[in-house]
Amino acid sequence: QVRLIESGGGLVQTGGSLRLSCVAFEITFGNNFAAWFRQSPGKEREFVSLISGTGITSYSKFAEGRFSISKDSTETTVYLQMNNLTPEDTAVYYCALDSTFRIATAPKYWGQGTQVTVSS
């Protein structure tokens, strides 16, 4: 059974950094797309970043220059390094996996989410 398990969320002050991790079970990111999404209270889930099986990355405008997506050499873990965080980044962050470009809109697999809270 495919599972994605996120970790690394927490409480951080404005300007701080966090690194989120997403570990895949029964599947790897090697030939698949991985993505991070987030959802703030009262808002729809939104795309943050993705990485392809070959390492090509893409970011939403709010993530450009502050966030960085990567994966480890085993291709079972994907990271989201988040720097210069602001209260607007407060959300539940979700990891996702799909074998196609559907990754950006309706991924097949989702993690359970990890809470990120940025205090002012």
Side-chain angles (χ1 to χ4, degrees):
Q1 181 180 355
V2 173
R3 289 183 299 148
L4 303 176
I5 307 295
E6 302 100 329
S7 63
L11 175 64
V12 65
Q13 291 186 332
T14 295
S17 298
L18 282 174
R19 189 176 80 157
L20 306 183
S21 299
C22 173
V23 179
F25 296 88
E26 302 301 326
I27 199 167
T28 74
F29 296 108
N31 294 318
N32 294 299
F33 291 89
W36 288 94
F37 291 76
R38 70 183 188 183
Q39 187 167 21
S40 304
K43 295 185 179 181
E44 293 187 355
R45 191 175 298 185
E46 61 180 348
F47 170 80
V48 177
S49 180
L50 71 82
I51 185 167
S52 73
T54 58
I56 296 171
T57 60
S58 178
Y59 299 90
S60 62
K61 286 193 179 297
F62 64 77
E64 279 276 4
R66 298 190 302 132
F67 294 4
S68 178
I69 190 170
S70 62
K71 53 185 176 179
D72 72 348
S73 58
T74 68
E75 300 191 302
T76 58
T77 303
V78 169
Y79 304 100
L80 184 68
Q81 177 67 43
M82 304 186 296
N83 299 323
N84 195 22
L85 288 163
T86 73
E88 289 67 37
D89 296 313
T90 295
V92 178
Y93 284 72
Y94 297 90
C95 176
L97 183 152
D98 200 286
S99 61
T100 73
F101 284 109
R102 201 172 42 199
I103 188 69
T105 55
K108 182 174 183 180
Y109 300 107
W110 290 92
Q112 83 290 351
T114 186
Q115 176 70 48
V116 171
T117 302
V118 185
S119 63
S120 56

